[in-house]
């Protein structure tokens, strides 16, 4: 029984909990709904109810005086609001998304949803917004159960063919320009890149100790004659042709030459004596 209730929680088959409140954090019936609205006590998402006041609030595309509005002016008005809200909420932490509803129904019109990366950031923002005003109107903020906006948004609206219009019960998320999105959310990507570079430059104490051990072993091999000496490097440098050892860009990497075993002093003296003998006979 418990597994069955868990499988239908927040769906249309759930006769106890309101599926619309669970999915979009708002219900057209409000407190009169016959199903329960389980309000979260903590959440990474905040809902700022009815906060955005569009210039064509009474009639879409027309101002309060009855004059038609240029769509570019409506978009500019919205992006100014969006940037103001983003800059204010950014003080409390990184935001994963900031969505503003374009719906016209009373329970969704002007709703602003902000999803923070951490729950404590959302709690700090909620505490700071209590009792504040925006454009002469009080800010109504609360935690929201919405964490996955893919389930809350209207897919037909994204495809520009929603037949319910502004009175749809799913989110019609108003879009901002690509330039503004890059300007606002791009700061998080830049901070990630700076953080990754600083982390890559730092060396952990363990790695420092390992590097020190390797250097100490190399010095021991040099002192006991078991490693590559500077004379070996100079001979290889002369054999390879002087200072032309730098590899050109794009050229294939040359295979490493085999290590030459050095002869002992007695063998070198015998070889030199043989060379002198052959030279005298030739003369």
């Amino acid at each position: 029984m418990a597994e069955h209730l868990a499988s239908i929680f927040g769906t249309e088959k759930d006769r106890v909990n309101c599926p619309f409140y669970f999915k979009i954090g708002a219900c057209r019936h409000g407190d009169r709904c016959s199903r329960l609205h389980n309000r979260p006590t903590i959440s990474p998402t905040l809902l700022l109810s009815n906060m955005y006041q569009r210039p064509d609030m009474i009639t879409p595309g027309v101002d309060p005086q009855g004059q038609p509005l240029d769509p570019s002016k409506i978009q500019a008005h919205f992006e100014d609001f969006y940037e103001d809200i983003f800059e204010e909420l950014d003080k409390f932490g990184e935001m994963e998304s900031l969505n503003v509803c374009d719906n016209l129904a009373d329970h969704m019109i002007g709703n602003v949803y902000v999803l923070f990366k951490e729950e404590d950031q959302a709690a700090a923002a909620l505490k700071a917004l209590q009792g504040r005003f925006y454009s002469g109107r009080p800010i109504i903020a609360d935690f929201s159960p919405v964490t996955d906006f893919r389930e809350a948004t209207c897919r037909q609206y994204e495809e520009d063919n929603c037949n319910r219009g502004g009175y749809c019960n799913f989110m019609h998320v108003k879009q901002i320009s690509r330039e503004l999105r890059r300007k606002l959310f791009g700061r998080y990507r830049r901070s990630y890149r700076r953080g990754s570079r600083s982390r890559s430059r730092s060396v952990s104490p363990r790695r420092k100790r390992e590097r020190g051990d390797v250097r100490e072993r190399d010095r021991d091999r040099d002192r006991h004659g078991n490693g590559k000496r500077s004379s070996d490097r100079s001979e290889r440098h002369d054999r390879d042709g002087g200072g032309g050892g730098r590899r050109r860009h794009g050229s294939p990497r040359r295979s490493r030459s085999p290590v030459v075993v050095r002869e002992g002093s007695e063998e070198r003296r015998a070889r030199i004596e043989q060379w002198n003998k052959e030279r005298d006979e030739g003369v």
Side-chain angles (χ1 to χ4, degrees), residues 178-239:
R178 184 177 302 177
E179 291 76 12
L180 181 59
R181 182 169 297 278
R182 187 183 300 114
K183 172 186 174 182
L184 299 178
F185 289 93
R187 66 185 66 177
Y188 299 141
R189 292 191 292 270
R190 289 192 294 270
S191 63
Y192 287 153
R193 287 196 292 267
R194 287 195 297 268
S196 62
R197 284 199 297 269
S198 62
R199 287 193 296 270
S200 63
R201 290 174 182 173
S202 61
V203 181
S204 63
R206 179 181 177 183
R207 188 173 295 275
K208 288 181 180 179
R209 290 195 299 269
E210 293 176 352
R211 291 180 179 178
D213 296 340
V214 171
R215 295 193 188 99
E216 187 64 27
R217 287 197 298 269
D218 292 342
R219 285 195 293 268
D220 292 341
R221 285 199 298 268
D222 291 340
R223 284 197 296 267
H224 293 85
N226 295 327
K228 295 184 179 66
R229 299 176 181 174
S230 60
S231 59
D232 297 335
R233 290 193 294 269
S234 62
E235 290 176 2
R236 185 168 64 251
H237 179 76
D238 295 338
R239 185 171 59 252

Side-chain angles (χ1 to χ4, degrees), residues 88-182:
E88 182 64 26
L89 295 175
D90 185 56
K91 300 175 183 177
F92 306 100
E94 179 181 345
M95 290 173 282
E96 293 188 0
S97 61
L98 177 62
N99 297 322
V100 181
C101 288
D102 200 27
N103 303 68
L104 296 176
D106 292 339
H107 66 291
M108 294 187 69
I109 186 169
N111 282 0
V112 178
Y113 295 82
V114 52
L115 174 61
F116 285 95
K117 194 171 184 180
E118 303 293 341
E119 291 181 346
D120 56 349
Q121 297 169 348
L126 177 63
K127 182 178 179 181
L129 293 175
Q130 296 292 340
R132 293 184 60 180
F133 288 75
Y134 182 84
S135 187
R137 301 174 62 251
I139 298 176
I140 304 173
D142 203 350
F143 289 120
S144 174
V146 181
T147 55
D148 186 0
F149 289 97
R150 292 174 298 180
E151 295 293 331
T153 56
C154 177
R155 298 178 182 177
Q156 286 78 17
Y157 174 77
E158 294 178 349
E159 298 172 358
D160 200 19
N161 60 0
C162 178
N163 54 11
R164 296 192 181 103
Y167 293 94
C168 179
N169 286 322
F170 288 91
M171 292 184 191
H172 287 188
V173 178
K174 197 168 179 62
Q175 299 297 323
I176 60 174
S177 63
R178 184 177 302 177
E179 291 76 12
L180 181 59
R181 182 169 297 278
R182 187 183 300 114

Side-chain angles (χ1 to χ4, degrees), residues 24 57 67 157 275:
I24 63 176
M57 183 70 67
Q67 300 297 324
Y157 174 77
W275 287 344

